[in-house]
Amino acid sequence: AYVSASQARVSPSTSYTPSRHKRSYEEDEDMDLHPSKQKEQHTGNGSDIHGCVEPKRLETEASAGHHVISPNCSPPLDLNFPLPGEKGPACLVKVYESWESFKVNDVLEVFGVLSVDPVLSIVNSEERDSSTLDPMECMDTSEEQRVHSPPASLVPRIHVILAQKLQHINPLLPACLKEEESKTCEFVSNFMSELSPVRAELLGFLTHALLGDSLAAEYLILHLISTVYARRDVLPLGKFTVNLSGCPRSSAFPEHLYRLIQQLVPASYHLRMSIESMNHSRFIPHKDYTANRLVSGLLQLASNTSLVIDETQLEQGQLDTAGVHNVTALGNLITWQKVDYDFNFHRMEFPCNINVLITSEGRSLLPSDCQVHLQPQIIPPNMEEYMSSLLTAVLPSVLNKFRIYLSLLRLLDYSISDEVTKAVEEDFVEMRKNNPESVTADDLHKMLLVARFLSLSAGQTTLSRERWLRAKQLEALRKARLQQQKCVNGNEL
């Protein structure tokens, strides 16, 4: 959508080859504009004393393992991408005012002056040489200079004139939905008028994607529109991590399901949870004091990124210390919506807002807000062909409506009237009387959460009696299914 709205050239680069030692900026620019590779931009980690933020990240599908080599054939230049295999253009964004207002992992839209002047590299080289003559003049180490001042041909500079935080990164929606603009109001009201058929079509699409399971499809919709809307002390309100258990492993179902979700949300990542990936991946960002920068980690994700964790890849084996720390980090992300960045001498909490979906065979090893056991109604002989045909059957215009639906509903305000609050309290007391052991405060919280997202999924910004009863019904069906699974396999729960 960004590319079609742009007048810039979008032809792919023909001169880029992975074996080259140096890549010119023009080739980077081609990669940046290539529609099949552009996915999502991340802002940098912070800024140094000159107001220079770390490189923006652009996730691409280039192969892992290839390193960009600097012109003098020194060790590979690490562009500090957070996700493994992530390649593409990076840039240093020079911010001259109000940079303190930008937080880690904010997504920004930046307007400024692009500089690819090779003289910058010469100046940096001269500074490095002069620092050997007068150590007091420049206290930066050579490693720090190399990291903070890479060659301009590899990492261009943008000198910012205007930078603004983005409320969302879906180009199909107006940039800001909070302002009382006539265009925005018109867009929202027009879409709300056709919300019901869009929801019905999306439910049908996801039901087919989940092999005919309409209950799991309902919960997947609620999960995709969930977001952390507030924090009470340490508790994040609005997170709705779903564990989709009962996934068939042999057919690579989780992989195909992720590809469908990837088509619906603006930012996503598929984490294949194996012993090897847990032991050897870097999940938590850590401070490198030699180069004076924060080294990125896999959990350094922008708000509202969909993180799909495939636990069916997990086999028997031993987690080492790094693996245990990574599993703990995932648990903290899910439970508290925070990541503890490692500064060697201490850890610092950074709040986040990541939608986590866990696909597993049995109950997940990781915590979740809601476990839904998949009950496939159809088993296609060729899973890949079946899932591909689902996407091709959907018109591009309908697919765009799905994308608008999921992004827009996440941004709506929601409230519960005093009258409905009282009715819910009375209902809960009645439920406790009938079955005091199985209905807890945690169950009430979960039902209110389901009711919230159920209301929003229908375009209603306040809770009605009808939606509350529907939420109770969904939860009863979900629990009955889990109980049934427990009877079949006693160690399942």
Side-chain angles (χ1 to χ4, degrees), residues 265-297:
V265 297
S268 62
Y269 183 67
H270 190 205
L271 176 59
R272 295 165 185 85
M273 195 174 173
S274 64
I275 294 292
E276 187 181 357
S277 68
M278 290 293 103
N279 286 342
H280 297 105
S281 299
R282 190 174 64 222
F283 279 34
I284 299 174
H286 72 271
K287 180 67 180 281
D288 178 356
Y289 286 94
T290 306
N292 191 24
R293 70 163 175 178
L294 197 64
V295 180
S296 293

Side-chain angles (χ1 to χ4, degrees), residues 11-118:
S11 57
S13 169
T14 55
S15 57
Y16 171 65
T17 54
S19 59
R20 288 184 58 187
H21 283 265
K22 180 177 175 183
R23 185 174 65 205
S24 71
Y25 174 66
E26 285 73 20
E27 290 168 293
D28 276 347
E29 190 180 41
D30 281 338
M31 288 180 71
D32 191 5
L33 295 171
H34 197 300
S36 69
K37 290 182 179 176
Q38 184 168 353
K39 288 183 181 177
E40 174 202 356
Q41 289 185 350
H42 291 285
T43 61
N45 301 324
S47 53
D48 62 16
I49 54 172
H50 304 295
C52 171
V53 294
E54 290 277 325
K56 284 195 298 181
R57 284 80 190 231
L58 183 71
E59 181 185 346
T60 72
E61 295 166 352
S63 61
H66 166 60
H67 294 282
V68 179
I69 309 296
S70 56
N72 58 0
C73 291
S74 60
L77 182 67
D78 180 12
L79 295 181
N80 207 15
F81 292 116
L83 300 176
E86 193 175 15
K87 295 293 169 190
C91 65
L92 283 171
V93 183
K94 304 275 188 176
V95 185
Y96 296 92
E97 60 181 7
S98 305
W99 56 265
E100 298 97 335
S101 64
F102 304 139
K103 295 180 180 177
V104 171
N105 303 332
D106 276 348
V107 180
L108 308 180
E109 188 170 42
V110 173
F111 302 86
V113 179
L114 177 68
S115 171
V116 290
D117 193 348

Side-chain angles (χ1 to χ4, degrees), residues 116-136:
V116 290
D117 193 348
V119 174
L120 287 171
S121 305
I122 299 168
V123 170
N124 292 332
S125 169
E126 288 174 353
E127 284 178 359
R128 202 174 295 131
D129 293 339
S130 65
S131 67
T132 59
L133 299 174
D134 186 359
M136 298 304 293

Side-chain angles (χ1 to χ4, degrees), residues 338-350:
K338 65 165 189 172
V339 180
D340 294 328
Y341 287 24
D342 184 5
F343 286 83
N344 292 6
F345 311 107
H346 68 285
R347 289 180 177 254
M348 190 177 291
E349 289 182 9
F350 284 84

Side-chain angles (χ1 to χ4, degrees), residues 324-343:
V324 171
H325 285 162
N326 284 337
V327 172
T328 304
L330 279 176
N332 287 337
L333 169 70
I334 292 166
T335 306
W336 309 112
Q337 285 292 312
K338 65 165 189 172
V339 180
D340 294 328
Y341 287 24
D342 184 5
F343 286 83

Side-chain angles (χ1 to χ4, degrees), residues 64-292:
H66 166 60
H67 294 282
V68 179
I69 309 296
S70 56
N72 58 0
C73 291
S74 60
L77 182 67
D78 180 12
L79 295 181
N80 207 15
F81 292 116
L83 300 176
E86 193 175 15
K87 295 293 169 190
C91 65
L92 283 171
V93 183
K94 304 275 188 176
V95 185
Y96 296 92
E97 60 181 7
S98 305
W99 56 265
E100 298 97 335
S101 64
F102 304 139
K103 295 180 180 177
V104 171
N105 303 332
D106 276 348
V107 180
L108 308 180
E109 188 170 42
V110 173
F111 302 86
V113 179
L114 177 68
S115 171
V116 290
D117 193 348
V119 174
L120 287 171
S121 305
I122 299 168
V123 170
N124 292 332
S125 169
E126 288 174 353
E127 284 178 359
R128 202 174 295 131
D129 293 339
S130 65
S131 67
T132 59
L133 299 174
D134 186 359
M136 298 304 293
E137 195 170 304
C138 181
M139 297 298 289
D140 293 350
T141 63
S142 59
E143 178 65 22
E144 190 173 342
Q145 285 183 338
R146 183 172 166 273
V147 164
H148 287 277
S149 302
S153 57
L154 289 176
V155 183
R157 277 64 164 166
I158 293 180
H159 299 272
V160 173
I161 295 170
L162 176 66
Q164 57 192 29
K165 292 182 188 179
L166 293 180
Q167 191 182 3
H168 61 84
I169 55 171
N170 189 335
L172 301 170
L173 271 68
C176 186
L177 293 165
K178 296 289 184 187
E179 295 175 14
E180 295 298 323
E181 293 181 6
S182 56
K183 281 185 180 179
T184 301
C185 293
E186 187 182 348
F187 175 87
V188 174
S189 59
N190 286 346
F191 190 79
M192 286 299 183
S193 64
E194 56 174 333
L195 195 76
S196 186
V198 172
R199 189 194 194 281
E201 282 190 81
L202 178 59
L203 182 63
F205 175 75
L206 292 178
T207 300
H208 286 300
L210 293 167
L211 310 179
D213 190 340
S214 58
L215 180 67
E218 282 276 9
Y219 274 93
L220 186 54
I221 289 178
L222 305 186
H223 163 75
L224 291 173
I225 65 170
S226 66
T227 186
V228 176
Y229 61 88
R231 289 180 187 266
R232 294 287 179 269
D233 296 324
V234 295
L235 189 67
L237 304 179
K239 72 181 182 72
F240 195 60
T241 299
V242 171
N243 171 209
L244 190 65
S245 59
C247 294
R249 182 180 181 179
S250 55
S251 58
F253 169 75
E255 181 83 34
H256 297 302
L257 178 63
Y258 169 72
R259 287 177 187 169
L260 291 185
I261 292 173
Q262 192 180 25
Q263 293 296 319
L264 300 175
V265 297
S268 62
Y269 183 67
H270 190 205
L271 176 59
R272 295 165 185 85
M273 195 174 173
S274 64
I275 294 292
E276 187 181 357
S277 68
M278 290 293 103
N279 286 342
H280 297 105
S281 299
R282 190 174 64 222
F283 279 34
I284 299 174
H286 72 271
K287 180 67 180 281
D288 178 356
Y289 286 94
T290 306
N292 191 24

